[in-house]
Amino acid sequence: MRPEILFPLFAPVTALPGVGPRTAKLIESLAGPHVVDLCWHLPSGLIDRRYAPKIADAEPDRVATLTLRVGQHLAPRNPRQPYRIACHDDTGEVTLVFFHAKADYLSKILPEGEVRVVSGRLEVFGGRLQMSHPDHIGRLEELRSLKRVEPVYPLTAGLTLKPLGKAVRGALERAPAPAEWLDPAFCAREGWPDWRTALGAAHAPRGPEDLDPLTPTRRRLAYDELLANQLALGLIRHHQRGQRGRAIRGDGRLCDRAMAALPFQLTASQRQAGAEISADMASQSRMLRLLQGDVGSGKTVVALMAMLSAVEAGFQAALMAPTEILARQHLHTIAPLAEAAGVGLELLTGRDKGKAREAALARLESGESGLAVGTHALFQKEVAFRDLALAVIDEQHRFGVHQRLTLAAKGPQGAKGRGAVDVLVMTATPIPRTLVLTSYGDMEVSRLTEKPAGRQPIDTRALPLDRLDEVIDGIARALDAGAQGGVPGSAPRGAKVYWVCPLVEESEASDLAAAEARHKSLSQRFGARVGLVHGRMRGKDKDAVMAAFAEGPIDLLVATTVIEVGVDVAAATVMVIEHAERFGLAQLHQLRGRVGRGAGKSTCLLLYQGPLGEAARARIHILRETDDGFRIAEEDLRLRGAGELLGTRQSGFPEFRLADLAVHDELLATARDDARLIIAKDPDLAGPRGAALRVLLYLFERDAAVKYLGSG
Ligand code: ADP
Ligand code: MG
C-alpha cells in the first residue's frame, strides 16, 4: 500500500485548482496524469520580471514590470487595428496594445483612472514606448508577487504557461515533507537540501545558473530518482538471489550433437559467452544473466547451447520471445538442431489451441520434451513443466522492466521447492554500460562483440526524399537482378527489399496510414510482389506475410517498425528507411541490421527530408561510418543525452524524469553502492531509514520492488 503521506501527490491533476478535464488532458500528455508528475516537470527557462523601472528610465526590448495609471482607452475603428490604452506614471507614457481585443474585458481589468501593475516585454513602435499583450495585469498590492523570476516550463500545443504554472504551483503546495531517506552525513557533504526544499528550489530558479542540472538542488533530485531505481532493482535481485538455485551441469553430449549439425563455426565471442553461462549455471546460486549482442550476432545459438546443457543435466529449458513472429523464428532456428540432438521441442503461443496444444502440454509435463519455445503463453497456469531449470527471455526491448521483473518473480510453474529457475535475458540492442545498470541493476553480463564470419558490411547511403523516383527505379533493378541475394542451392532470384515507413507520431494509426499509402503507390508499380506488415495485423496474418516475404511471392515488404524486432530473412539485401531523420540512432541501427544477414551484398538507403537538423545529420553520419552496435549505442547516448534515450516508451528502459545520465552518471554509481549497502544492512527495509526509503520507492513508482519486502 502506498504510504498515506503520498496520497496528495498521486491524486489526479484535476484535483488541482484551475485544472478542468480539458487542461488535465493536456497536462497528462505533457507530464503525466498525477499531481506528482507536475512536480517532476522542471522549468526549462525563466523570465526575470524583477526589472521595475520608472517609464522614463525603461529600456525597450526587455521584460519589465511597470506600475501605471490607466488613461484613455482607444478602440480601433478598423477591427484589424489594435486596441490601445494610454497609460502613464509621473515620469512618462506608455501605450498598452491589444489585438483582437474585447473592449468590455479590457475596461474591467484596466479601468480608466486606476493604478495597475503590468508585466511584459517593452518595445518601441513609431518612436513610442509600448507593451503589447502584457503577460500579467494586476493591482498594486500584487506588485511584489509579479515582480519575480518566473519559471518557464516546456509546453504543449493548447497549453500556455499561465495555467500550467498555476497547476505546478498547486502541485508543489501538495508536496509533503517526508522523513529523510538519504544518509544525513552524505547530504551534508554534498550540500544538499532536504527533498521538499530541493523540489521547491528547482521550480524557483533565481537566475539561469539555477537551471543547470549540476546545482545541488537538481543533483539531489536526480540522486533520489537514481537511488529509487537502483534500490528497486537491488531489492528484487536480492530477494530472487536469496532463493536457492541449483547446480546445472551438462556433460556436453547433446550440445556436441547439435554443434555437429551447425552449418557454421561458432565465433570466439559465442564460445566465450557459452562458457560464462555454463559456469554460472553450474554454480549453486541462481543465474540472472544478460546476454547482450548486436542484431545478427548469433544469440539464439548460444541460448540453445545453454538450454541443451540443462537437458543434459536432466532438466528442461524454455525460451520466451516477445512476439509470435519471433517465437516462430526461434523455433525455425532451433528445431533442426534439437532434432539433431534428439531432444523434444514444443512451441507454445497464444494461437495454438486444441488437441495439438494439449499434447504439447502433456509432453512438457511428462518431461518427454526437454525444450519449449513460445510467447507469454509459456508462463500461463496450465503450462506445467516436469522440471524447468532454465528460462531464456528474448526481450528485444519489448518487455518493460516491470513486466520482466514480475515475470522473473512469478517464475515458471513446477519449480517450487526445488530451487529457483536460472534466467538468461537476451537483448538485441547493445546497451551502454550505464544503461545496463539502470535497467538490470547488477546483473551479470555476457557480450557478443563480433559478427559471425562471412558477413559483408552493409553499404549505407543517405538520399533526400525528393530523389524518391530514382530510388524506386533502383529498387526495380534490384528486384529483377539475378542471383546475388539468393539462398545457396535455391533458384537464383532478385533481391528481397524492406521498405520501412516513418514514425509519424506516437500513434500507431497514423504510422499505419503512411505505410498503407506507400504500399499502395509501390503496388501500382510492382503489383503483387509488394506486401504490407504492421503492428495492428492479427498474428496469423503477420506470419503469413512474413513467410511470403521469406520464401514466397513477396519481394518488397512495406512495414511499420514492427520489423525492428529481430526478424531474420537471410535473403533480404535492401533496406529502405523513409524519413530516416525521424528515427533514433539505435533504431536505425536495428532496422539496418535486418539486412546483411546472408552472404549477399546488402544496401541500406536512408531517405531523408531535408534540410537536416544537426542531430539528424550526426546520426546519419555515424551510421554511415560504423556498423559497431556498441559504438553506435555510446554515440546515441552522447548525442541525445540519456533523458531522451530513456524517454522512448517502447524501449523498455526506465524513464528518468529528473536524472540525466549524460550529466549525472557519477551519481548513478554512487546510488548503486548506496543501494548495495542499504540492502546488506536492512534487506527488508524494516528500520527507520528503511521506512523512509519505502516512501522513496513509492514516490518514484517503484512499487514492484516493495512487494518483495515483508510488511513493515
Ligand atoms: P541475433 O543475435 O540477432 O538473435 P540470431 O541468433 O538470430 O542473431 O542469428 C542470426 C543469424 O546468424 C542466424 O541465421 C544464425 O543461424 C546465424 N549465425 C549464428 N551464429 C553464427 C556463426 N557463428 N556463423 C555464421 N552464422 C551464424
Ligand atoms: Mg534473434
Side-chain angles (χ1 to χ4, degrees):
M1 276 289 283
R2 180 181 293 141
E4 217 162 306
I5 188 173
L6 295 180
F7 286 0
L9 289 181
F10 284 89
V13 289
T14 43
L16 296 169
V19 180
R22 202 189 69 88
T23 311
K25 254 214 160 114
L26 294 168
I27 291 178
E28 177 167 354
S29 74
L30 183 66
H34 298 124
V35 171
V36 73
D37 296 312
L38 281 171
C39 294
W40 304 151
H41 195 63
L42 296 186
S44 53
L46 48 84
I47 302 174
D48 189 344
R49 302 191 183 281
R50 288 173 301 184
Y51 178 60
K54 288 285 188 189
I55 292 175
D57 306 326
E59 295 165 24
D61 298 319
R62 63 183 288 193
V63 172
T65 301
L66 303 177
T67 304
L68 307 167
R69 189 167 294 277
V70 182
Q72 206 184 2
H73 285 231
L74 298 163
R77 261 166 292 163
N78 175 343
R80 275 184 305 185
Q81 293 292 312
Y83 190 104
R84 294 163 183 280
I85 304 174
C87 299
H88 64 272
D89 65 8
D90 47 11
T91 69
E93 291 180 359
V94 65
T95 308
L96 304 183
V97 178
F98 298 87
F99 290 86
H100 311 292
K102 288 210 175 68
D104 322 351
Y105 174 70
L106 287 177
S107 36
K108 211 159 82 196
I109 57 167
L110 289 162
E112 206 171 321
E114 301 282 317
V115 171
R116 286 292 180 271
V117 176
V118 302
S119 185
R121 178 163 289 276
L122 281 173
E123 56 211 306
V124 172
F125 187 78
R128 300 160 67 121
L129 199 61
Q130 69 172 38
M131 184 184 285
S132 48
H133 295 271
D135 304 321
H136 296 284
I137 299 172
R139 293 168 183 277
L140 191 55
E141 51 283 18
E142 290 168 74
L143 176 63
R144 277 201 39 197
S145 66
L146 286 182
K147 236 180 79 179
R148 64 184 187 111
V149 180
E150 186 176 89
V152 172
Y153 293 99
L155 298 172
T156 184
L159 186 61
T160 55
L161 190 55
K162 236 180 181 170
L164 180 65
K166 186 169 173 205
V168 172
R169 285 195 297 281
L172 294 175
E173 272 165 30
R174 290 175 150 245
E180 181 59 80
W181 45 70
L182 297 184
D183 174 27
F186 174 56
C187 277
R189 216 164 42 238
E190 296 285 342
W192 288 351
D194 65 75
W195 174 75
R196 194 167 191 264
T197 308
L199 187 66
H203 282 278
R206 284 151 307 166
E209 64 286 353
D210 287 346
L211 297 170
D212 190 317
L214 293 176
T215 59
T217 308
R218 289 231 182 178
R219 289 182 77 232
R220 150 101 218 203
L221 295 176
Y223 188 80
D224 287 338
E225 185 172 40
L226 293 171
L227 181 62
N229 165 268
Q230 289 300 297
L231 190 59
L233 291 168
L235 284 170
I236 289 163
R237 183 148 195 261
H238 175 86
H239 289 268
Q240 285 183 351
R241 279 244 146 183
Q243 294 163 284
R244 191 165 46 93
R246 46 187 173 179
I248 305 165
R249 258 188 223 99
D251 55 16
R253 83 203 127 85
L254 300 176
C255 286
D256 288 348
R257 273 192 244 159
M259 292 267 261
L262 275 180
F264 48 74
Q265 296 282 311
L266 291 185
T267 64
S269 261
Q270 283 172 316
R271 267 183 268 123
Q272 166 79 19
E276 287 164 6
I277 294 166
S278 318
D280 210 351
M281 285 170 63
S283 84
Q284 271 296 344
S285 62
R286 182 180 188 195
M287 176 170 81
L288 289 172
R289 181 173 284 274
L290 182 65
L291 176 59
Q292 223 191 349
D294 209 348
V295 282
S297 57
K299 294 183 290 294
T300 314
V301 182
V302 175
L304 178 67
M305 295 303 159
M307 293 168 78
L308 286 175
S309 50
V311 177
E312 287 165 7
F315 305 118
Q316 290 166 297
L319 188 162
M320 183 177 73
T323 66
E324 187 99 30
I325 296 187
L326 282 171
R328 286 179 193 275
Q329 194 173 297
H330 283 308
L331 185 79
H332 200 76
T333 313
I334 290 176
L337 301 171
E339 199 183 309
V343 178
L345 169 66
E346 305 300 337
L347 176 72
L348 282 181
T349 72
R351 227 192 296 154
D352 304 298
K353 298 218 165 66
K355 283 231 171 71
R357 180 167 185 270
E358 269 158 40
L361 290 180
R363 285 192 295 271
L364 287 173
E365 187 157 15
S366 70
E368 185 186 335
S369 286
L371 300 174
V373 171
T375 56
H376 292 84
L378 273 177
F379 293 118
Q380 279 163 359
K381 266 205 221 73
E382 316 84 80
V383 183
F385 291 89
R386 189 177 61 82
D387 200 353
L388 186 72
L390 171 68
V392 180
I393 302 175
D394 178 12
E395 68 167 15
Q396 312 269 6
H397 280 175
R398 276 301 159 109
F399 300 114
V401 177
H402 279 289
Q403 243 175 312
R404 170 177 22 188
L405 294 178
T406 34
L407 209 152
K410 193 164 72 172
Q413 311 294 315
K416 286 201 188 84
R418 286 185 227 156
V421 171
D422 280 0
V423 175
L424 180 68
V425 177
M426 301 200 285
T427 175
T429 301
I431 312 167
R433 292 246 177 240
T434 28
L435 297 195
V436 171
L437 198 55
T438 61
S439 11
Y440 301 92
D442 274 341
M443 215 168 188
E444 258 79 53
V445 178
S446 293
R447 283 183 154 196
L448 297 182
T449 50
E450 48 184 337
K451 291 253 158 70
R455 295 276 164 83
Q456 301 211 29
I458 300 164
D459 181 15
T460 302
R461 293 183 218 170
L463 286 169
L465 259 171
D466 49 27
R467 288 171 64 185
L468 189 66
D469 289 344
E470 277 171 62
V471 170
I472 292 175
D473 289 342
I475 300 272
R477 286 191 298 276
L479 285 173
D480 295 328
Q484 20 150 264
V487 177
S490 71
R493 61 184 184 196
K496 292 270 177 184
V497 180
Y498 283 113
W499 189 297
V500 177
C501 283
L503 219 61
V504 178
E505 286 167 30
E506 287 226 346
S507 127
E508 227 175 322
S510 39
D511 291 357
L512 182 53
E516 275 171 343
R518 180 58 67 210
H519 174 248
K520 202 167 149 202
S521 72
L522 289 172
S523 297
Q524 273 162 7
R525 169 125 185 210
F526 300 111
R529 300 170 78 181
V530 186
L532 174 66
V533 64
H534 58 77
R536 289 212 172 166
M537 280 164 80
R538 293 200 352 241
K540 255 203 167 80
D541 301 337
K542 250 191 253 178
D543 289 354
V545 175
M546 289 310 300
F549 182 55
E551 285 131 32
I554 294 179
D555 294 322
L556 173 51
L557 183 64
V558 178
T560 56
T561 46
V562 289
I563 60 152
E564 188 185 337
V565 180
V567 172
D568 194 7
V569 176
T573 51
V574 181
M575 166 66 64
V576 181
I577 305 174
E578 199 174 331
H579 280 295
E581 78 281 358
R582 294 187 191 165
F583 292 93
L585 190 50
Q587 211 176 7
L588 289 171
H589 175 65
Q590 287 272 310
L591 287 168
R592 178 172 63 178
R594 301 300 115 214
V595 296
R597 301 195 139 210
K601 183 128 187 61
S602 294
T603 309
C604 175
L605 294 178
L606 304 171
L607 299 185
Y608 62 86
Q609 176 83 66
L612 283 180
E614 209 173 302
R617 188 187 308 269
R619 287 201 291 272
I620 288 176
H621 178 76
I622 291 161
L623 217 60
R624 295 200 50 192
E625 193 174 278
T626 181
D627 187 32
D628 175 349
F630 286 100
R631 208 195 122 201
I632 287 176
E634 304 284 353
E635 290 286 345
D636 200 19
L637 184 64
R638 195 180 56 77
L639 265 181
R640 295 205 277 168
E644 205 184 317
L645 192 61
L646 298 169
T648 46
R649 278 176 192 280
Q650 293 143 351
S651 70
F653 289 123
E655 282 183 71
F656 290 115
R657 309 287 298 270
L658 305 166
D660 177 353
L661 292 182
V663 288
H664 296 132
D665 54 341
E666 115 281 3
L667 289 180
L668 179 63
T670 313
R672 179 198 53 198
D673 296 344
D674 201 357
R676 269 194 204 151
L677 215 65
I678 291 165
I679 293 165
K681 274 199 209 149
D682 183 10
D684 285 306
L685 301 186
R689 186 177 175 202
L693 285 162
R694 282 171 189 240
V695 173
L696 175 71
L697 289 172
Y698 277 105
L699 180 62
F700 285 101
E701 298 173 69
R702 298 296 198 270
D703 313 15
V706 184
K707 294 200 189 89
Y708 286 84
L709 308 174
S711 56

